[in-house]
Amino acid sequence: MGMADECCCMQLIDGNGEFNVDGLENFVRTTKLNHCGLSYAVVAIMGPQSSGKSTLMNHLFHTNFREMDAFRGRSQTTKGIWIAKCVGIEPFTIAMDLEGSDSRERGEDDTTFEKQSALFALAIADIVLINMWCHDIGREQAANKPLLKTVFQTPLEYLEPILREDIQKVAELRQRFFHSISPGGLAGDRQGVVPASGFSFSAQQIWRVIKENKDLDLPAHKVMVATVRCEEIANDKLRRLSADEGWLALEEAVQEGPVSGFGKRLSSVLDTYLSEYDMEAVYFDEGVRNAKRKQLESKALDFVYPTYSTLLGHLRSKAFESFKIQLEQSLKKGEGFAASVRTCTQSCMLEFDRGCADAAIRQAKWDASKVREKLRRDIDTEASSVRSVKLSAIIADHEKNLTEALSGPVESLFEVGDEDTWASIRRLLKRETEAAVLKFSTAIAGFEMDQAAVDTMVQNLRSYARNVVVKKAREEAGKVLIRMKDRFSTVFNHDNDSLPRVWTGKEDIRTITKDARAASLRLLSVMAAIRLDEKPDKVESLLFSSLMDGTAAASLPRDRSIGDSVDPLASSMWEEVSPQDKLITPVQCKSLWRQFKAETEYTVTQAISAQEAHKKNNNWMPPPWAILAMAVLGFNEFILLLKNPLYLMILFVAYLLLRALWVQMDIAAEFRHGALPGILSISSKFLPTIMNLIRRLAEEAQGQRPPEASRPQQSLASQSFRYQTPPPAGSSSIPESSVSSNISSSESEFESSGLNLIRRRSTNIPEAESS
């Protein structure tokens, strides 16, 4: 293949500005440009007519652009814009030869195409070569200064050595186009490259835009170039900022917590890249340069702002935690709550403000007021929460003290259940409530609450104290039947000195029963209603008149139409007692009284039985008239005894023997079940008992002492039982002389009978207690 075929030279745009669409599509297919992806470059050359542009391109890239014929003189050789493939250059490189400027054929006034082609070359090409005559340097138009100013916005001292080197060394210049798109190459920093498959369409669109803009001129193009270049510089600085080691270290440190000197360090990093931008963009259009700088600064600030926000969050959390710790410590020292909150809030807000000042940067005036307001809201919320907890603890503590101060005493007063019970409860409630209110007011003084709130809390405390009494009253009302039976048992079984009663037959059981029932009914009347408001009522009188006196029913009015008496207790409400103060309704009182009487009847019956048994056990003595008759009729015998003391000795010995027989045989117990069984039992035991007594007397006379170690303890036990426990109903009375039976009796059978006696007494204890 020849070199002409390999370079594929073709006219892209003719002299009239018509775009060769088909020719470009053929060029792309022939050279396989569409397979190159992004690995291609475009090199354009511009300059005055007949300055050797085509010749230079042919020497550099081995193209075959048409060159000027020297024999025909200076004339327009290249019309429009031509392109060709550079031969032997990697990567794929397209050479673009532009029509020369300042041509005689177009004249002075027709410079539109020159501007359009130059603008097209700048938009399409990655590298633009400016060709000029060396003797034209220093001229304004001949040297294409306006065009150069548009293309290059860099200091001349940077361009001069490059221009001289490129002019003098064409071969070395060709080498510079190898790998031009690699990093460090002539086009190594290009951005926004159009893929090769879209090159044709992109070129068409760019030329269409340029053609339709009739007023397009180079100054506008200058702004466009400045915009592109300044944006490239700004993007590069932003990229370098994101990878800056100092910034990355600062960002990582902020993730862990507050960083001292954050503002100064970040300001220094930002200043570095903003200064570099200013230095690199100094020769570009001032308006564009400043606008892009503001965009760079805005993007940089947006980039670092999340880290700044994170730092503010750390400062807020630190200040908030400091507030909680300081508040807790201050309260532990006993300082007032409101004063502690004020002091700790001021300290923590000052700490936060100092942290914000340290985090501020010179490039921005970031507002931390929202974070500060959130911190203040968090502090207020925490203070309110702690305040509620502390107040709740104080209230709970005082309520607990009130419960302890009222529950036990109130229960004790209800156990007494007399007419002064509710008056005592009211005095107790008032005393304990006022003491609690005084302590509570002192305890909450440091919270500095408004008086209305204090009054509400004090009233709630008073209500709580009242509710404690009411609750206890309702609990006791549920146990009223048990209390009534206990009260009845206490009054019925104990005398005025609180000693257990011994039913000897002298007691008036009817009167005792009435008094015991009256005491129980009084307890029921006390528990029937709550009387904390000192309002008089007729509960007690109504209960006594209806349940105790027995006269109420007779005095009740009768309904003539029905013929029945009206029951004052047939109601669910008490007169002069509010519904909320009701504990036991009249109907319930009547039912409780009926149940109470039924469950206490047995106790009364047992007492009556005990009296009758006691009377039976002591009816062996002759009646008083018989004793008097015996004394009168036996007067002579009595005088005889007095005259002869021996008879008295005989009588005394006979008395001791009879007394020993009485105790040994337990004659009183034998006659308990009747006279005939008693006589039969005594007759069977009489002779053995006499023999035992004689044998023991003989042993005593010979100096032998029978074992009686356990007798004193048994006798003492008998005495203690007799003095401490009232005799049960139906049990026999034991004579006093039984205590001395250990002296007059020495037989083992006697001891055995004494033990049986004690055992019989022990078995009767439950009966005595149950009665």
Side-chain angles (χ1 to χ4, degrees), residues 538-592:
K538 300 178 180 179
V539 174
E540 184 175 353
S541 60
L542 183 60
L543 288 176
F544 271 84
S545 62
S546 301
L547 302 177
M548 278 292 296
D549 293 347
T551 59
S555 61
L556 291 175
R558 293 182 177 273
D559 190 342
R560 295 179 180 178
S561 62
I562 301 176
D564 295 331
S565 61
V566 178
D567 187 355
L569 297 182
S571 173
S572 61
M573 297 297 298
W574 297 103
E575 294 183 5
E576 302 175 354
V577 175
S578 60
Q580 60 268 22
D581 291 339
K582 176 188 63 178
L583 293 177
I584 306 174
T585 64
V587 173
Q588 291 172 339
C589 287
K590 185 175 181 180
S591 176
L592 287 170

Side-chain angles (χ1 to χ4, degrees), residues 247 250-251 254-255 262 303-312:
W247 157 250
L250 186 61
E251 183 182 29
V254 168
Q255 300 303 321
F262 174 86
F303 175 72
V304 300
Y305 185 77
T307 303
Y308 172 77
S309 298
T310 301
L311 178 63
L312 290 186

Side-chain angles (χ1 to χ4, degrees), residues 382-674:
E382 177 65 16
S384 178
S385 176
V386 175
R387 176 177 176 271
S388 299
V389 171
K390 296 297 182 183
L391 284 175
S392 299
I394 293 174
I395 293 172
D397 184 58
H398 283 75
E399 288 179 350
K400 178 182 178 183
N401 293 338
L402 273 174
T403 301
E404 294 176 353
L406 292 174
S407 295
V410 168
E411 182 177 357
S412 178
L413 289 172
F414 279 134
E415 289 179 358
V416 175
D418 56 16
E419 64 228 4
D420 196 41
T421 295
W422 281 106
S424 300
I425 291 176
R426 287 193 294 268
R427 289 193 296 269
L428 173 67
L429 175 62
K430 182 177 180 181
R431 181 177 68 252
E432 296 297 337
T433 302
E434 294 303 326
V437 167
L438 180 60
K439 293 180 180 178
F440 178 75
S441 301
T442 303
I444 65 172
F447 290 85
E448 298 181 7
M449 294 185 294
D450 58 279
Q451 190 59 39
V454 173
D455 293 343
T456 300
M457 298 176 73
V458 169
Q459 183 59 38
N460 291 339
L461 190 62
R462 293 181 183 275
S463 300
Y464 178 85
R466 182 185 178 97
N467 290 335
V468 170
V469 176
V470 171
K471 181 180 179 181
K472 180 55 66 174
R474 296 192 184 280
E475 290 178 2
E476 294 299 316
K479 301 182 292 185
V480 65
L481 181 60
I482 298 175
R483 298 286 191 203
M484 290 171 65
K485 291 191 294 183
D486 291 343
R487 176 64 54 83
F488 178 85
S489 178
T490 301
V491 176
F492 187 80
N493 292 321
H494 295 79
D495 57 18
N496 295 332
D497 296 328
S498 299
L499 296 176
R501 295 184 187 274
V502 178
W503 303 106
T504 62
K506 300 178 181 178
E507 296 81 15
D508 186 356
I509 293 181
R510 180 180 297 276
T511 302
I512 294 174
T513 302
K514 185 175 182 181
D515 293 342
R517 288 179 176 176
S520 300
L521 187 59
R522 185 171 295 105
L523 177 61
L524 178 61
S525 67
V526 169
M527 299 304 305
I530 298 172
R531 300 173 178 88
L532 293 177
D533 297 327
E534 300 188 49
K535 294 180 180 179
D537 57 66
K538 300 178 180 179
V539 174
E540 184 175 353
S541 60
L542 183 60
L543 288 176
F544 271 84
S545 62
S546 301
L547 302 177
M548 278 292 296
D549 293 347
T551 59
S555 61
L556 291 175
R558 293 182 177 273
D559 190 342
R560 295 179 180 178
S561 62
I562 301 176
D564 295 331
S565 61
V566 178
D567 187 355
L569 297 182
S571 173
S572 61
M573 297 297 298
W574 297 103
E575 294 183 5
E576 302 175 354
V577 175
S578 60
Q580 60 268 22
D581 291 339
K582 176 188 63 178
L583 293 177
I584 306 174
T585 64
V587 173
Q588 291 172 339
C589 287
K590 185 175 181 180
S591 176
L592 287 170
W593 183 254
R594 184 164 51 248
Q595 184 177 356
F596 163 77
K597 289 182 66 177
E599 294 182 8
T600 56
E601 285 292 341
Y602 179 74
T603 303
V604 178
T605 304
Q606 286 291 93
I608 296 173
S609 298
Q611 278 191 340
E612 292 177 353
H614 188 274
K615 291 177 181 179
K616 289 180 180 179
N617 291 334
N618 291 277
N619 62 1
W620 55 271
M621 293 292 292
W625 62 268
I627 295 174
L628 179 61
M630 290 172 62
V632 172
L633 295 176
F635 180 75
N636 294 331
E637 289 78 5
F638 179 70
I639 295 298
L640 180 61
L641 290 175
L642 291 179
K643 289 181 179 181
N644 192 351
L646 181 60
Y647 292 151
L648 289 176
M649 287 291 287
I650 295 172
L651 289 176
F652 180 71
V653 171
Y655 169 76
L656 291 178
L657 290 175
L658 291 175
R659 183 63 180 175
L661 285 174
W662 181 279
V663 174
Q664 180 73 20
M665 298 178 67
D666 195 7
I667 294 176
E670 297 296 342
F671 281 96
R672 182 185 307 168
H673 302 289

Side-chain angles (χ1 to χ4, degrees), residues 8 84 107 111 116 186 260 264 471 486 544 560 702 733:
C8 296
T111 60
Q116 290 175 343
L186 291 176
S260 178
K264 292 182 179 179
K471 181 180 179 181
D486 291 343
F544 271 84
R560 295 179 180 178
Q702 294 175 3
S733 176

